[in-house]
Amino acid sequence: MPGKSQQQGEAELPIDFTPDGVGHYPCDLTLKASDDVRLYRIECTVIPSGSVAELRFTTPAHTPVKQNVPVVNQTADKWLLKADITGSGFTGPRSMTAHAQSTSFYPLTFTPAFESTNKGQLKLMNTADGMEHTFSLVGVGEKPLALEHLVLHCTANQRKTVSIRVPNVTNQRLQYHVSSDLPIITGAKTISVLSLQEETFDVALLSRRRGDYSGALCFVADGKPFIEVDSDGDEVGGPAPPPTPDLEGYTVWYSLEVHVLPAPCIASIPVSCAYRSATEVDIPITNPGSSELTLQVALQGDELHGANELVVSPSSTEQYRLTYQPLSVGIKSGSVIFFSEKVGEFWYDLQLDGMTAEPVTLSPMQCELGRSSTQTVSLANPTGDPLLLEIQSPNTHNYSLNTKSPLVVPPKSTEDVLLSFTPSALGRDRHVAEIVFVSEKLGTLSYNVSGSGLMPRREEPLLQICAALGLTGTTVIPFTNPADLSVMATVRLTAESDASSWSLLLKTASDIALSPHSTLYIPINFKPSVMKAERGRCSVEICCANGEAWNAVDGTPVYKLHFHYPIDGIPEYTLPCTLKKQPKVVCVANSRVEEVFEAPLCAAEPGEEAFSYRLELASAASAADLESCVALELLKQTTCDDDDDKTPLLLTFNILFTPKGTFSHDVELVVTASGGAVWRFPVCFQATDPSFDDVIDIEAAGLGQTSIVKFSLTSQSNEPARFRAYFEGLKDTGVFSVTPVTGQLAPSGSTFHVAFKPRMYGKGYEARLIIEARNDRWMYKVRGVIPDYKPPKAQSAYKHLRSSACIR
């Protein structure tokens, strides 16, 4: 560019510089003439326009908080920055280095001396080009935290002095007022601390009783300058400076945790007692004063019991009585602590010895020979842990428990165990036993039990033999020798009416040798000839094989014992083969049917007029299905006058069948005469599928996509009815679903949502949706409709080729 000529041979060259942003811009300028070449190096540094960022600090007084201030250096040269900080409580290094092409951090710390808001400024100046980074600072000092958590220890009724340092971080001598929320701490009311120094403050600890205490010790400045006076009370050093308002309320405090240990005990008292027992201990307490003394009493130990207060009259002695009831065996420690504000705390140490429990004698037991009697044994667990008891019972022949060893008793509970007694002889001989429960915590728990064997007088439980008319039924009576010695047995069979219906199937019925506690199996046949129940009796007589006698409870000798077994023979009529065609009651689910059923009572005895009847259900499933939907009613009872008729009586029943679901069950109609004869009539109840209430077609939105159809149902009564909704015949789970599954069917209507989510094309989906309420049932046929699959149609990119073209 042409320049402007000057007299000195100089010229001005104007240059325009437009930077894109903050940074350093170097430039080389070359000037050429025909006989001259000149090169100039120009460097321009662009600094920010002067924006100021604000940094805010919040922290309790005396607690430092640090923040790293970022400095971004985008240039190729590192910067040496000098720091200038103003404002109370703000500190940081005097310089830092900001490395090229990176972000460096300046550590700035704020430590407030007291509760206040402080403002300041941080300037970081680049020494190379003078560029400044300015930050506005705001520091908020909140209520100070405790300088330290002090844990102190002392002994009850003993004074202890502890020294605590008190700092002054201000530039002025301060006078603190001392306070604490712990009444066991005493000391001077004020303390003076020089500027930027600390003093030692002595506190005295004195507690009248043991325990753990927590609180605070506070030193609060009043903001007034400390004034020294001479011995005459005159001020030293001239007039006092004015008070500093900022220091008023300045606080330094400590959190305290004081553990007061008990003083040595007055005496150590040994106390021993057996488990399941209790013992009392009297402790004499003397009041030597002239006024009444009221003592608060605390017992340490779950096994100790006593009053929580004791009043002792002036110049007298009272006995404090406590009860020791051990909950376990072993040596433990306890204590009884007395306290009053007048005398403080004093206590007695108790050496507790829980000894093994004394044996417990149970109530005597009595039982007939050949039978068993029981009584309950309660086992308590007073501890907080499960109790494991090993059972030891040497006499398992006469006594047994309905539990296995080891027995576990839950914490703080009682377990009742049933003790069974089975005598093996008459009288009290050989019926004494000791049952022991052993545990680590409770030691040995012994129970002494005794029993007496009585004469067998009651009949054994009634037995039954059922046999078809003219056929034989058999039962076997197991007779066990109850004695603990060998016996000789004789068996007899008698009948109340027709003895020809009964027979005893033993090769020999007398002088049968039985060893102790062995079993003789007695087979008995019953063959009824008429449709009438027969009562028989089987008697077993035993005597000692050695000819000796048993001694009864009253001492009377007994040579023979008798055991009686009553037996009822029940005749049952079996229909001839031509009449065995099983009737069937068929009904569509959710509907009803009534049918008349005739039951011929073949071979019934003349004069039989009273009959009972019932449906005998073979399984729990049949009971669940039929009990609520079958009603049986006897319509009439017809008597035939023809003497040759084998069916003198005919019972006509009305059967009402109202099934709610589909099932098929074979049951028996059982008719019983007052004389005991039984007639059985097989009946089949079959509930078939009903017609669908509606058909629900759901068109699929696509594979893996859900389509939903909704409909409403109302309760058939004026009250809500609980319902259950589910699918039947659903092979692929997840294809169909219904919501809600359960709930209340409202009289105003409840909405159901049926969802369909197909998984593949070319397959039909179908299922039955069942909704059951209290007295209603709906069935819907649900069909999933899949859209026709249309294969994609594509055109060849080579439309110009004919079909006869050959592509190589």
Side-chain angles (χ1 to χ4, degrees), residues 191-274:
I191 180 175
S192 177
V193 184
L194 295 176
S195 171
L196 301 178
Q197 295 187 23
E198 64 179 34
E199 294 289 341
T200 300
F201 181 79
D202 293 335
V203 296
L205 303 177
L206 178 60
S207 176
R208 307 291 286 172
R209 67 192 311 174
R210 73 183 73 185
D212 297 327
Y213 304 86
S214 59
L217 180 62
C218 300
F219 302 87
V220 182
D222 55 10
K224 298 179 181 179
F226 182 77
I227 301 176
E228 293 187 22
V229 296
D230 55 18
S231 59
D232 297 330
D234 299 327
E235 296 183 2
V236 178
T244 306
D246 291 343
L247 296 178
E248 185 174 357
Y250 174 75
T251 304
V252 176
W253 67 285
Y254 292 86
S255 61
L256 301 180
E257 182 180 338
V258 183
H259 299 283
V260 182
L261 305 177
C265 64
I266 301 298
S268 181
I269 303 174
V271 185
S272 61
C273 182

Side-chain angles (χ1 to χ4, degrees), residues 425-426 429-430 485 543-552 555-561:
L426 293 181
D429 296 340
R430 299 184 293 275
L485 47 81
C543 59
C544 295
N546 56 11
E548 296 181 355
W550 289 285
N551 292 322
T556 304
V558 177
Y559 292 93
K560 294 182 180 181
L561 299 175

Side-chain angles (χ1 to χ4, degrees), residues 637-790:
Q637 178 177 322
T638 306
T639 302
C640 299
D641 297 331
D642 190 357
D643 295 338
D644 296 332
D645 197 340
K646 296 182 179 180
T647 309
L649 289 176
L650 181 66
L651 302 185
T652 304
F653 293 91
N654 181 66
I655 298 177
L656 176 61
F657 185 33
T658 58
K660 297 299 181 183
T662 59
F663 52 80
S664 179
H665 296 296
D666 292 331
V667 301
E668 285 186 337
L669 171 60
V670 180
V671 179
T672 305
S674 59
V678 174
W679 289 264
R680 295 180 178 271
F681 303 93
V683 183
C684 177
F685 287 91
Q686 184 175 358
T688 60
D689 288 332
S691 58
F692 292 105
D693 292 283
D694 202 351
V695 178
I696 301 176
D697 289 330
I698 307 177
E699 186 172 350
L703 290 184
Q705 299 182 17
T706 302
S707 303
I708 297 177
V709 170
K710 61 181 180 179
F711 64 94
S712 296
L713 279 179
T714 59
S715 173
Q716 300 303 302
S717 63
N718 295 328
E719 296 181 356
R722 187 162 187 82
F723 70 86
R724 180 173 69 102
Y726 59 94
F727 277 97
E728 282 185 351
L730 188 60
K731 297 181 180 179
D732 296 330
T733 58
V735 176
F736 289 110
S737 61
V738 59
T739 55
V741 178
T742 59
Q744 295 287 340
L745 198 62
S748 59
S750 299
T751 302
F752 293 85
H753 296 77
V754 181
F756 173 50
K757 185 178 181 181
R759 297 179 178 176
M760 63 180 66
Y761 284 108
K763 180 180 180 180
Y765 295 95
E766 188 173 302
R768 292 190 302 272
L769 173 61
I770 310 297
I771 301 177
E772 294 178 342
R774 185 185 305 127
N775 297 317
D776 299 287
R777 188 174 188 268
W778 294 269
M779 184 171 69
Y780 298 90
K781 185 176 184 180
V782 182
R783 297 184 299 195
V785 181
I786 301 176
D788 295 335
Y789 175 74
K790 297 180 180 180

Side-chain angles (χ1 to χ4, degrees), residues 8 17 118 128 226 229 260 471 580-581 612 617 712:
Q8 293 84 5
F17 173 58
N118 301 327
F226 182 77
V229 296
V260 182
L471 300 180
K580 271 191 174 181
K581 184 178 180 181
S612 61
L617 307 177
S712 296

Side-chain angles (χ1 to χ4, degrees), residues 144-152 162 164-165 179-182 185 213-219 251-258:
L145 300 176
L147 288 183
E148 190 177 349
H149 180 69
L150 302 179
V151 180
L152 308 178
V162 179
I164 299 176
R165 60 180 182 84
S179 63
S180 176
D181 57 352
L182 291 178
I185 291 181
Y213 304 86
S214 59
L217 180 62
C218 300
F219 302 87
T251 304
V252 176
W253 67 285
Y254 292 86
S255 61
L256 301 180
E257 182 180 338
V258 183

Side-chain angles (χ1 to χ4, degrees), residues 623-638:
D625 291 336
L626 295 176
E627 281 182 348
S628 61
C629 66
V630 175
L632 193 62
E633 180 186 6
L634 178 61
L635 296 179
K636 60 181 178 177
Q637 178 177 322
T638 306

Side-chain angles (χ1 to χ4, degrees), residues 226-521:
F226 182 77
I227 301 176
E228 293 187 22
V229 296
D230 55 18
S231 59
D232 297 330
D234 299 327
E235 296 183 2
V236 178
T244 306
D246 291 343
L247 296 178
E248 185 174 357
Y250 174 75
T251 304
V252 176
W253 67 285
Y254 292 86
S255 61
L256 301 180
E257 182 180 338
V258 183
H259 299 283
V260 182
L261 305 177
C265 64
I266 301 298
S268 181
I269 303 174
V271 185
S272 61
C273 182
Y275 173 71
R276 293 192 303 205
S277 300
T279 186
E280 294 180 343
V281 179
D282 289 333
I283 301 176
I285 304 298
T286 302
N287 177 14
S290 58
S291 59
E292 186 179 78
L293 179 62
T294 301
L295 296 171
Q296 300 175 14
V297 185
L299 299 175
Q300 290 188 342
D302 296 337
E303 302 165 330
L304 299 175
H305 308 279
N308 54 13
E309 186 178 87
L310 178 66
V311 179
V312 186
S313 301
S315 303
S316 64
T317 300
E318 295 287 343
Q319 298 289 336
Y320 178 78
R321 176 166 295 178
L322 62 88
T323 302
Y324 169 48
Q325 187 174 8
L327 302 178
S328 60
V329 298
I331 303 295
K332 294 179 288 296
S333 294
S335 59
V336 53
I337 306 168
F338 300 92
F339 172 78
S340 75
E341 295 293 342
K342 293 182 181 180
V343 300
E345 177 187 288
F346 61 95
W347 63 289
Y348 292 84
D349 178 54
L350 303 177
Q351 297 298 321
L352 307 176
D353 183 9
M355 300 183 298
T356 301
E358 296 293 334
V360 176
T361 301
L362 299 177
S363 301
M365 305 181 71
Q366 290 184 342
C367 184
E368 293 182 9
L369 200 63
R371 294 178 179 269
S372 297
S373 62
T374 60
Q375 73 168 306
T376 301
V377 179
S378 297
L379 300 172
N381 178 12
T383 69
D385 300 318
L387 184 63
L388 193 68
L389 296 174
E390 295 287 345
I391 303 175
Q392 300 176 3
S393 178
N395 188 358
T396 57
H397 197 66
N398 297 116
Y399 297 95
S400 62
L401 296 170
N402 66 334
T403 184
K404 295 182 179 179
S405 181
L407 171 65
V408 179
V409 183
K412 303 290 184 180
S413 64
T414 300
E415 193 78 15
D416 290 334
V417 179
L418 202 62
L419 175 64
S420 297
F421 166 57
T422 304
S424 57
L426 293 181
R428 300 182 179 88
D429 296 340
R430 299 184 293 275
H431 292 154
V432 178
E434 181 185 22
I435 301 173
V436 180
F437 300 89
V438 181
S439 74
E440 294 182 1
K441 295 182 179 180
L442 304 185
T444 301
L445 305 179
S446 298
Y447 294 85
N448 295 327
V449 61
S450 62
S452 301
L454 305 179
M455 289 282 292
R457 300 186 184 279
R458 293 180 298 168
E459 291 186 342
E460 298 295 326
L462 182 65
L463 302 177
Q464 281 190 350
I465 303 178
C466 295
L469 187 64
L471 300 180
T472 301
T474 304
T475 188
V476 176
I477 300 176
F479 171 76
T480 300
N481 176 16
D484 51 7
L485 47 81
S486 297
V487 299
M488 302 300 292
T490 300
V491 182
R492 297 182 180 89
L493 180 62
T494 59
E496 291 184 356
S497 57
D498 187 6
S500 62
S501 301
W502 301 90
S503 58
L504 186 64
L505 303 180
L506 286 176
K507 293 182 179 179
T508 176
S510 58
D511 296 333
I512 304 173
L514 293 178
S515 59
H517 308 292
S518 62
T519 301
L520 170 65
Y521 294 95

